[in-house]
Amino acid sequence: MTDNNATQPTRKVGPIRQWIKDHPNIWEFILFNLLSNISTITRFVVTWIGTAIFISGMGLTQPFHFLIFNYDTQGNGLGGFLTFLLAEVLAQVVNFFVQMKWVFKSDSSFKDAAWKYVILAVIIVVVNLVLPGYVTGLCQGWGMGAGIAGTIASVVNTLLAVIVSYPLLKFWVMPKSKGSKKATK
């Protein structure tokens, strides 16, 4: 019996695939940012829909203040809070599956990763619920409309989520096992 691989010519790797192979950590971070846009798109779409339903449609603009949450009328009140709550929860659910399966290709069990992600997501959601009331109020104080102010608040939330979540996802929530063939250099 002969080894078929011994007679096969060496397969040439293209320059992009070679770069990815040579720089797996950089590629992972790029992939993290690119694929995070799936949850970002979810966040924006739900923000726009929530603004249309809760603020424009239902007129839920009465001030909402609870513990650290401050959504006055310039922050779109209760409607703003509900909009950002729904947008953040759905974005985090989408992000969990995208990051675990496509970015980190984690071999962690769903059970082990899920409870850690819930902690991270709660932190992100709380921060992302606190900031929009202030950011939206500031933007509307500068004369921007509710839609633009909500979009800017979503951009701020997204940037903060990237800064906090990448290292925590990579090293705590979804680490590759030490024996994993896909472990990075």
Side-chain angles (χ1 to χ4, degrees):
M1 190 168 194
T2 62
D3 182 9
N4 288 339
N5 290 334
T7 61
Q8 297 290 330
T10 303
R11 191 168 202 191
K12 188 172 182 174
V13 178
I16 293 173
R17 288 188 192 262
Q18 185 62 47
W19 186 90
I20 291 169
K21 185 177 174 185
D22 293 342
H23 304 91
N25 289 324
I26 296 171
W27 174 245
E28 183 180 73
F29 185 70
I30 291 169
L31 198 58
F32 169 82
N33 283 289
L34 289 174
L35 294 180
S36 289
N37 287 315
I38 296 170
S39 69
T40 300
I41 290 167
T42 302
R43 182 180 293 115
F44 283 136
V45 168
V46 175
T47 298
W48 296 328
I49 292 170
T51 299
I53 292 171
F54 297 124
I55 298 164
S56 300
M58 297 174 71
L60 298 176
T61 57
Q62 65 271 25
F64 175 78
H65 304 283
F66 179 72
L67 299 174
I68 58 175
F69 304 111
N70 181 32
Y71 286 76
D72 57 15
T73 54
Q74 283 189 324
N76 294 321
L78 178 60
F81 176 78
L82 294 174
T83 295
F84 282 106
L85 176 63
L86 188 58
E88 285 306 314
V89 168
L90 291 175
Q92 293 307 319
V93 168
V94 167
N95 197 48
F96 174 79
F97 291 103
V98 167
Q99 299 304 334
M100 185 166 192
K101 299 300 179 192
W102 295 343
V103 174
F104 297 106
K105 297 179 179 110
S106 177
D107 54 3
S108 296
S109 74
F110 175 84
K111 180 181 73 167
D112 290 341
W115 73 265
K116 293 175 185 175
Y117 189 81
V118 167
I119 292 169
L120 174 62
V122 166
I123 292 167
I124 290 171
V125 167
V126 167
V127 168
N128 284 351
L129 285 172
V130 170
L131 284 180
Y134 295 101
V135 173
T136 304
L138 178 67
C139 290
Q140 286 186 334
W142 290 342
M144 296 177 200
I148 296 292
T151 300
I152 291 171
S154 287
V155 168
V156 170
N157 283 351
T158 300
L159 291 173
L160 186 60
V162 167
I163 292 167
V164 170
S165 65
Y166 179 76
L168 289 174
L169 286 171
K170 180 176 177 77
F171 299 111
W172 182 57
V173 178
M174 303 173 182
K176 294 179 180 110
S177 66
K178 294 190 184 347
S180 175
K181 293 177 185 175
K182 294 182 181 187
T184 56
K185 292 180 184 178

